[in-house]
Amino acid sequence: MAALSVFVLILVCCALAPVYASWAGVDPFRSTLDAVIIVNGVEQPVMELPKTGLALGFSPIGPTWQPGNYFLGADNQGRDVMARLLYGGLNSITIAGIATILTLAFATLLGLVAGFYGGLADTIISRVLDVLWAFPVYLLAISLSVVMITQGIRLGPVEIDSGSLALPIFIIGLIYIPYVARPVRGQVMSLRQSDFVMAAIGLGASPGRILRKDILPNVSTTLIVFVPIMLALNMLTESALSFLSIGVQPPNASWGTIIQDGQSLLYTRPWVALAPGIMIVLSVLSLNVFGDGLRDALDPKSRVKLGRG
Amino acid sequence: MKKLLLATSAALVLALPAWAEYKEEHRGGTMRLVARSAAGTVDPHINYTLQYWQIYQGLYDGLLAFKKAAGEDGFTKVPDLAEAMPEVSADGKTYTFKLRPGIKFSNGQEVTTKDVVASLQRIFKVSSPTAGGFYSVIVGADACLAEPATCTLEGGVSADEATGVITITLTRPDAEFLDKLALPHAVILPADTPAQDVGTAPVPGTGAYMISAYDPNSGMTMTRNPHFKVWSEDAQPDGYPDVIQYDFGLTDEAEVNAVMNGEADWMYDQPPADRLAEIGSTYADQVHITPLTAWWYAPMNTNIPPFDNVKARQAVNFAIDRNALVNLFGGPVLASPVCQVLPPGFPGHVPYCPYTKNPDQVWSAPDLEKARALVEESGTKGQKVTVIAEDTAISKAIGTYMQSVLTDIGYDAEVKPLSPNIQFTYIQNTSNNVQISITQWYQDYPAASDFLNILFGCASFTPGSDSSINIAGFCDKDIQAKMDEAMLLGVTDPEAANKMWADIDRAVTDAAPMAALFTPKRIDFVSKRVGNFQFNNQFYWMVSQSWVQ
Amino acid sequence: MVFAILQRLAQMVFVMVGISMLVFLIFFATPGVDPAARIAGRNASPEVLEAVRISFGFDQPFYIQYLTMMQKIFVTGDLTSFVNRGWKVVPAVLDTIPVTLSLVFGAAVLWVVFSVIIGVVAAACRDRWPDKLLMILGLIGISMPVYWLGEVMNLLTQSRFKDTWFLGWVPPLGYVPFSESPKGWFLALVIPWITLSILYIGLYARVLRASITEALQEDYIRTARAKGLSETRILLVHALRTSLIAFVTLFGLDFGALVGGSALLTEVVFGLQGVGKLTYDALQNLDLPVIMTTVLYASFFVVMANAVVDVVYILLDPRVRSA
């Protein structure tokens, strides 16, 4: 529970990003190359050329460690890293959250249909899942992203713009479906053979009723156990995609994109990359600890395992 | 020992007076170059990258060459495999060359007129990227473009093997034809070179070095051409290092570290912004900075809203703080703000800048009020604009900054960085409906038309094609007519032509099919042991003319 | 038995065909990625563009292009890149395998050794503080993005502590072939090995601890205890052996995936020219032939690993064997 509260605390802080930005008087999505701030009574430009040597390179200010005043310094557009960190966290968590819901919903649907009806439906679904499963996760995600970032998606009436957050959500939601659908299918299959379902079928209950009343409640435990694990996994995936600049698009931010911005400042301003990384570790860790507890409580024998990266 | 050495060098000086400058004591060793990645095929008739054009200097020769000299001297054309500059007929259409005898390819074959004819045909047979743009002026080129496989250039190129005379006939006079002949796409290769892209299999050349191994995933090794003898210091001098080793696959950061630690002698890529301060202070004496005849610019699509409105385009020009962009590029030492097309130091360049707070010859400050007013007048306020940038640190930073500026002057702007390899073709194709993008252009050869006519000429605009270098889709009948006139004038009176080009530059700048951003400078960061660094304005640092010991 | 193998094989082929079609469709059915203009070079005239299009067969229907590509990968082996023309893709992929194998193999040694030690120690002192500490450390390992860890490692070894005695030995980024210098090979890979293995050490230690704990409650362990065997012997010989089944299963799958290119992020961050980096570069360039080959190669390892794990499982677990 302590773990869950850590995560909730991070979430609340990130949700307060607009409050922080307006209090600090900065716009985290606008380039402010000529801004000047006051640190300890001394005026300092946010971006500065060196005064020595050949005067090469335009460097952002480092952390001032003063809340509301470029606490973590600026990035290469002169934007307040602290404000971006909070906004970025909000995006990271939102994407991971919605993607988790998508994954679980589709995986449950596919798992139920394949496991319950068996036969042709099962064969088709299982084979498609096999293909997705054998496709290395990052390769699939990167392939999809490269193409979609260029073009956006047009699926009939649904049109997702290439800069939209919906894009990484869609991609991340899609790639992990087999991870959840496979165990769900297995569980449904064994439930299908169990005495109480057999009895229900014998009594003439409709398949819909059986699925709803007998199978879904049993499967839902597995699904609940999956929630924190998938959330953690999705956060890592989102950050990796954004790090490879095929996730969230600028000037919007996520922890992954801030790490990427920070990568080009790693030698002089390491905090730009360190801070979002630490935030990712904290949130994912709290989710994993919480997920652990949840599993021990609900599903001690389960084979639900952590994903790999 | 010392005596002996003196004696040999004295003998050398006596035997070859032209070698007076060659410092024998620096000969030898391995020059180690690094780059992030390879630049594609090694076929000199096809490769169209600065990265390989630079090293082709010491590998291949054409009938003519750009002089291997430092600075602006590098723009001079000198005879190379030809004995002298060609004789040109009175109508400016026929060029007569005489082949220098006794030169051998690195495989030992002697260069004959057959090789010259075959090489000029090969430009078309392998569908060289510039076959249509540069060399279509040769008689018979039309047939070659239509049917590359059977290309003969009948009537265009003929040779007499006995006398070594080569005659090239053009369909019309072309002031830039000699420049084009001095480019790597027109170098002379053995006649039996396959008539297709050789890819990773190096072709023998006549230069001081030859490629002895090439793998785009790891590196390229260049060693001395055993059959090379100096015939002209200006065209193809001998080099200092015995081996030039070019390694690929390091990140920019790792390249910088390698040069700092002396594990590499030079990096091709520009150092990342993060490391510039360190390089500029601790390593200042290992840095060479040279202005380039190039520009960074933001083409605006003149055929779709909002930039089909000239006021909207001018507004963008007024709004951009070019100093900020210069800083993003690394500071005023590494770039200078610019408003016009032709870069400083280029033929036809006359300083001009209408888009600055106090209109003057040079840019001083942005004028946001004027920009906002222009947007208001144009009636395009509030429209959606997407900036397409490259996914590299600098281009992305500039794109992000532009997004911010466009938002400031009243547009609903977003920025989309694409992988550099995709971005350049993506922004050219009209079916992608790109409104504004960030890109660069580097000269092929020093002539105003290489910027103005290629980037803003009607002939370079092909709707629906990935190859339509007039990205703005700008086609103005009057300006085009003037450009045609200037090109014709250039054949007889280059100076008058350059004056005309200056007017055209002004006219294009006023019509604003783009926002000129800045003129970049090149930063060459070399290891401590590299001596005799010389930068040629045409093909950049002359690798083989520097020594490592 | 033969039937089972054949079925497995058919399944493998099916999956790989599916993946190759997916890759092909993703790339070719999308507008804006036509390779012709990129191959032809900047400012190519329409005639030149058309000539290139024809010479690469881009004017053919999709299914023919697909079949030609498959033939060039599997039959003639002379598929060439769209970006570095004339660069043969199949040998290029084969060339990168030693790099990836070196990386994954070394990391695997690290993660097996350390996770077994940690797992056993944690299980031995379960529910006391060493167990809790180790498990939290394990979770931290699992929670770190590998690319970020790599960046931090680079920051420490290539910049901040570059000139100090304890990290000064780290060579610049990049791979050194074993044949060239075994010492250089080792030094260049130490940091990547550690970075890649941390996640798996955490994961495997936790899995091992869980299954040892579970095994310790089984009847045969009680019997062993009743026989008076020492607690150490029970833990190391009996409980550990049974627990290794889950461990080996997981190991096979992960090892297969990593050899197949899932170490992409580690390779990119450390500039190692392995399969993952090759794929990543190809994706940046949209170099379809390279992407196709590496993805097929990767999926082959994933599918193979699945099959091998199934067999090993049968061999290791007496319960499955007797059934």
Side-chain angles (χ1 to χ4, degrees):
Chain A
M1 273 313 112
L4 183 62
S5 38
V6 169
F7 182 74
V8 171
L9 185 69
I10 294 174
L11 183 62
V12 169
C13 286
C14 291
L16 291 175
V19 179
Y20 180 88
S22 68
W23 171 62
V26 292
D27 180 347
F29 303 114
R30 199 174 159 279
S31 312
T32 44
L33 299 172
D34 45 11
V36 175
I37 56 168
I38 293 164
V39 185
N40 301 329
V42 183
E43 274 202 358
Q44 249 185 332
V46 168
M47 302 288 292
E48 202 175 10
L49 286 166
K51 300 213 166 47
T52 54
L54 298 172
L56 301 180
F58 201 40
S59 307
I61 193 170
T64 62
W65 305 118
Q66 298 173 354
N69 190 18
Y70 285 80
F71 183 73
L72 289 170
D75 66 6
N76 66 357
Q77 296 281 332
R79 299 172 298 203
D80 185 332
V81 174
M82 186 64 200
R84 282 179 70 76
L85 189 70
L86 297 177
Y87 272 103
L90 197 56
N91 279 337
S92 289
I93 296 172
T94 311
I95 292 172
I98 302 180
T100 303
I101 295 170
L102 269 183
T103 309
L104 292 183
F106 277 104
T108 313
L109 188 71
L110 290 174
L112 282 180
V113 172
F116 189 77
Y117 291 101
L120 187 64
D122 182 31
T123 311
I124 295 173
I125 292 174
S126 301
R127 290 294 86 81
V128 171
L129 290 182
D130 277 350
V131 170
L132 278 182
W133 172 272
F135 208 135
V137 170
Y138 280 118
L139 292 192
L140 179 62
I142 295 169
S143 319
L144 285 173
S145 313
V146 168
V147 170
M148 290 175 182
I149 292 300
T150 318
Q151 289 296 331
I153 315 176
R154 271 166 223 105
L155 288 173
V158 187
E159 199 168 308
I160 305 181
D161 189 65
S162 56
S164 157
L165 284 190
L167 214 57
I169 293 178
F170 172 81
I171 292 165
I172 297 167
L174 179 78
I175 54 176
Y176 286 118
I177 288 178
Y179 282 71
V180 185
R182 284 187 154 200
V184 170
R185 170 180 167 270
Q187 202 183 355
V188 173
M189 274 176 105
S190 64
L191 285 170
R192 175 83 169 73
Q193 307 299 325
S194 66
D195 297 341
F196 66 95
V197 172
M198 287 300 192
I201 294 173
L203 287 172
S206 73
R209 192 187 152 79
I210 297 173
L211 278 176
R212 214 168 50 241
K213 291 274 168 187
D214 298 320
I215 294 187
L216 207 52
N218 280 294
V219 175
S220 61
T221 324
T222 311
L223 292 178
I224 290 173
V225 173
F226 260 119
V227 169
I229 296 173
M230 288 310 295
L231 211 51
L233 191 56
N234 284 347
M235 287 195 67
L236 288 177
T237 312
E238 184 280 323
S239 78
L241 286 184
S242 294
F243 172 71
L244 298 173
S245 69
I246 42 187
V248 174
Q249 296 298 301
N252 213 336
S254 82
W255 284 337
T257 59
I258 301 174
I259 294 183
Q260 202 218 6
D261 290 342
Q263 188 194 16
S264 58
L265 292 169
L266 196 63
Y267 281 79
T268 48
R269 299 283 175 252
W271 276 102
V272 183
L274 287 177
I278 293 170
M279 292 310 287
I280 293 176
V281 175
L282 273 181
S283 344
V284 173
L285 180 63
S286 61
L287 283 169
N288 278 336
V289 172
F290 173 63
D292 243 29
L294 199 64
R295 179 171 44 188
D296 290 346
L298 291 178
D299 190 21
K301 281 237 149 192
S302 94
R303 292 254 161 237
V304 173
K305 64 178 165 60
L306 290 163
R308 53 183 82 91
Chain B
M1 193 63 194
K2 206 170 184 179
K3 220 173 192 174
L4 191 71
L5 216 136
L6 267 173
T8 22
S9 53
L12 262 171
V13 169
L14 281 177
L16 296 160
W19 277 47
E21 277 184 52
Y22 191 88
K23 299 201 174 52
E24 193 64 31
E25 69 270 27
H26 292 298
R27 189 182 173 92
T30 300
M31 177 76 80
R32 297 150 311 170
L33 318 177
V34 287
R36 198 183 314 128
S37 59
T41 172
V42 284
D43 197 322
H45 282 167
I46 295 175
N47 193 292
Y48 199 4
T49 63
L50 287 170
Q51 192 179 342
Y52 284 0
W53 277 25
Q54 178 179 27
I55 58 167
Y56 286 156
Q57 290 180 93
L59 294 172
Y60 298 103
D61 295 281
L63 288 171
L64 305 176
F66 285 100
K67 190 172 172 183
K68 304 291 186 295
E72 296 226 4
D73 262 0
F75 286 148
T76 324
K77 289 163 294 269
V78 294
D80 191 352
L81 293 182
E83 270 185 349
M85 293 306 280
E87 280 171 35
V88 190
S89 66
D91 63 358
K93 288 191 193 168
T94 309
Y95 291 77
T96 314
F97 296 88
K98 184 153 188 319
L99 189 67
R100 219 184 273 266
I103 295 172
K104 285 183 175 168
F105 287 112
S106 58
N107 61 4
Q109 273 172 316
E110 190 152 330
V111 181
T112 66
T113 52
K114 247 196 215 126
D115 300 313
V116 177
V117 177
S119 295
L120 292 176
Q121 290 170 350
R122 190 172 182 273
I123 299 174
F124 298 92
K125 288 186 176 163
V126 298
S127 298
S128 169
T130 53
F134 289 173
Y135 305 102
S136 59
V137 60
I138 303 174
V139 172
D142 288 351
C144 286
L145 283 169
E147 292 277 340
T150 57
C151 176
T152 57
L153 288 174
E154 181 78 54
V157 180
S158 59
D160 178 5
E161 206 164 333
T163 56
V165 170
I166 300 137
T167 317
I168 302 177
T169 315
L170 309 184
T171 52
R172 58 178 167 80
D174 180 356
E176 292 150 22
F177 187 64
L178 295 181
D179 291 297
K180 295 169 183 172
L181 277 186
L183 293 180
H185 286 166
V187 298
I188 308 306
L189 306 176
D192 54 3
T193 309
Q196 65 195 30
D197 189 342
V198 296
T200 54
V203 193
T206 45
Y209 293 84
M210 60 179 192
I211 301 176
S212 43
Y214 178 51
D215 175 358
N217 206 28
S218 60
M220 178 191 285
T221 311
M222 286 161 274
T223 50
R224 287 190 188 277
N225 169 1
H227 299 279
F228 175 76
K229 276 193 209 79
V230 177
W231 62 83
S232 159
E233 275 291 290
D234 287 344
Q236 188 60 265
D238 201 0
Y240 287 101
D242 283 338
V243 178
I244 300 172
Q245 174 64 37
Y246 210 146
D247 285 327
F248 309 124
L250 290 180
T251 60
D252 302 0
E253 296 281 357
E255 285 180 50
V256 173
N257 291 338
V259 176
M260 282 180 178
N261 301 338
E263 286 140 358
D265 293 309
W266 173 82
M267 57 187 286
Y268 169 74
D269 303 288
Q270 294 294 278
D274 189 28
R275 308 299 294 278
L276 285 174
E278 189 184 359
I279 292 174
S281 50
T282 320
Y283 298 88
D285 50 345
Q286 286 165 246
V287 171
H288 300 271
I289 295 172
T290 332
L292 296 180
T293 39
W295 66 330
W296 279 65
Y297 68 112
M300 289 178 266
N301 193 332
T302 55
N303 299 311
I304 54 172
F307 299 124
D308 54 350
N309 187 317
V310 67
K311 283 186 178 151
R313 303 199 297 266
Q314 287 170 339
V316 174
N317 264 296
F318 273 112
I320 296 171
D321 182 352
R322 290 169 173 83
N323 264 345
L325 300 181
V326 162
N327 282 337
L328 286 177
F329 193 73
V333 183
L334 284 184
S336 29
V338 68
C339 300
Q340 65 195 123
V341 182
L342 294 178
F346 214 58
H349 170 86
V350 174
Y352 178 60
C353 186
Y355 304 117
T356 174
K357 199 148 207 165
N358 309 302
D360 193 2
Q361 291 189 336
V362 289
W363 186 86
S364 54
D367 190 342
L368 274 174
E369 272 156 48
K370 186 143 189 187
R372 289 202 189 97
L374 278 167
V375 172
E376 199 77 54
E377 275 174 54
S378 70
T380 56
K381 196 171 173 180
Q383 290 192 12
K384 215 174 145 134
V385 177
T386 308
V387 184
I388 310 286
E390 283 174 84
D391 191 13
T392 56
I394 291 175
S395 184
K396 196 157 101 176
I398 292 175
T400 310
Y401 170 79
M402 294 277 277
Q403 184 266 345
S404 205
V405 167
L406 289 169
T407 310
D408 271 357
I409 59 173
Y411 291 110
D412 172 14
E414 56 177 60
V415 57
K416 188 158 91 170
L418 298 181
S419 161
N421 281 287
I422 306 164
Q423 194 251 12
F424 191 58
T425 48
Y426 184 86
I427 57 177
Q428 292 182 54
N429 197 326
T430 49
S431 46
N432 294 326
N433 290 321
V434 174
Q435 295 161 305
I436 181 168
S437 50
I438 316 284
T439 189
Q440 319 92 38
W441 184 256
Y442 295 82
Q443 63 137 33
D444 293 298
Y445 48 82
S449 72
D450 190 38
F451 273 78
L452 287 163
N453 188 41
I454 289 191
L455 300 181
F456 302 105
C458 298
S460 318
F461 179 48
T462 320
S465 165
D466 275 352
S467 182
S468 170
I469 193 67
N470 184 342
I471 300 166
F474 178 77
C475 179
D476 181 304
K477 274 205 195 85
D478 296 341
I479 292 179
Q480 184 63 47
K482 272 194 192 154
M483 290 202 278
D484 292 339
E485 202 183 319
M487 280 189 280
L488 202 62
L489 187 60
V491 179
T492 50
D493 188 351
E495 215 147 285
N498 281 340
K499 281 213 181 81
M500 258 189 101
W501 283 115
D503 290 340
I504 296 167
D505 187 8
R506 251 195 300 278
V508 172
T509 305
D510 286 337
M514 79 298 158
L517 303 178
F518 55 85
T519 312
K521 286 178 198 164
R522 170 143 188 112
I523 170 164
D524 284 289
F525 181 39
V526 296
S527 72
K528 261 200 186 68
R529 62 179 196 154
V530 171
N532 201 29
F533 182 94
Q534 291 191 64
F535 193 93
N536 172 298
N537 281 13
Q538 174 65 24
F539 291 132
Y540 299 5
W541 173 48
M542 298 182 287
V543 182
S544 66
Q545 297 310 298
S546 293
W547 55 67
V548 289
Q549 63 183 45
Chain C
M1 190 64 184
V2 176
F3 178 74
I5 291 174
L6 282 180
Q7 197 188 15
R8 195 84 226 190
L9 219 60
Q11 205 181 334
M12 256 173 80
V13 170
F14 173 84
V15 167
M16 288 176 65
V17 169
I19 286 177
S20 62
M21 286 180 160
L22 198 61
V23 171
F24 198 83
L25 283 180
I26 289 177
F27 279 83
F28 256 107
T30 314
V33 295
D34 179 4
R38 279 181 287 130
I39 293 172
R42 77 190 143 118
N43 194 19
S45 65
E47 299 92 338
V48 170
L49 202 58
E50 200 48 40
V52 167
R53 207 182 289 275
I54 291 169
S55 76
F56 271 81
F58 297 140
D59 53 338
Q60 307 266 354
F62 278 136
Y63 69 95
I64 302 233
Q65 289 189 41
Y66 174 77
L67 291 177
T68 320
M69 187 169 278
M70 290 302 118
Q71 186 202 11
K72 281 185 174 168
I73 293 178
F74 291 106
V75 185
T76 51
D78 62 350
L79 186 67
T80 57
S81 150
F82 283 172
V83 175
N84 291 301
R85 275 212 271 181
W87 185 40
K88 294 219 168 58
V89 173
V90 178
V93 173
L94 295 178
D95 279 351
T96 58
I97 292 177
V99 184
T100 302
L101 267 184
S102 304
L103 171 67
V104 175
F105 197 78
V109 170
L110 277 183
W111 97 57
V112 167
V113 170
F114 281 96
S115 63
V116 168
I117 295 174
I118 295 175
V120 169
V121 170
C125 3
R126 63 192 163 280
D127 297 330
R128 278 181 287 137
W129 67 265
D131 173 33
K132 287 191 172 145
L133 178 73
L134 287 172
M135 286 305 105
I136 283 291
L137 283 178
L139 264 188
I140 293 178
I142 296 172
S143 307
M144 273 193 287
V146 66
Y147 64 90
W148 179 75
L149 183 62
E151 291 289 356
V152 174
M153 288 285 197
N154 277 343
L155 175 69
L156 298 180
T157 60
Q158 301 292 330
S159 166
R160 289 298 184 271
F161 296 104
K162 194 164 81 70
D163 300 319
T164 59
W165 57 270
F166 75 106
L167 283 176
W169 52 268
V170 179
L173 299 185
Y175 176 74
V176 180
F178 186 76
S179 54
E180 206 171 275
S181 152
K183 191 182 166 215
W185 173 84
F186 183 82
L187 290 181
L189 284 169
V190 170
I191 300 291
W193 282 338
I194 295 174
T195 309
L196 181 60
S197 61
I198 283 182
L199 161 71
Y200 294 96
I201 293 176
L203 187 61
Y204 282 53
R206 293 175 58 81
V207 168
L208 196 63
R209 175 196 172 272
S211 45
I212 292 178
T213 318
E214 203 179 306
L216 285 176
Q217 274 137 35
E218 301 245 351
D219 292 341
Y220 68 92
I221 299 284
R222 288 198 197 129
T223 320
R225 278 213 185 97
K227 277 202 225 155
L229 292 179
S230 79
E231 196 63 18
T232 323
R233 195 178 154 79
I234 289 173
L235 186 73
L236 288 182
V237 177
H238 297 277
L240 182 60
R241 205 176 67 188
T242 340
S243 314
L244 280 178
I245 295 168
F247 192 90
V248 168
T249 314
L250 209 52
F251 180 81
L253 295 175
D254 284 331
F255 193 79
L258 284 174
V259 172
S262 291
L264 184 144
L265 287 167
T266 315
E267 289 177 10
V268 169
V269 169
F270 290 107
L272 301 169
Q273 288 290 355
V275 182
K277 177 83 160 44
L278 186 71
T279 317
Y280 176 73
D281 291 343
L283 280 162
Q284 293 285 303
N285 294 335
L286 286 185
D287 192 350
L288 181 66
V290 182
I291 297 168
M292 183 64 92
T293 315
T294 50
V295 167
L296 279 177
Y297 160 87
S299 57
F300 173 77
F301 272 97
V302 173
V303 182
M304 269 300 279
N306 268 301
V308 171
V309 161
D310 283 355
V311 174
V312 173
Y313 198 69
I314 295 171
L315 294 179
L316 267 182
D317 192 340
R319 284 169 297 185
V320 180
R321 192 164 27 178
S322 57

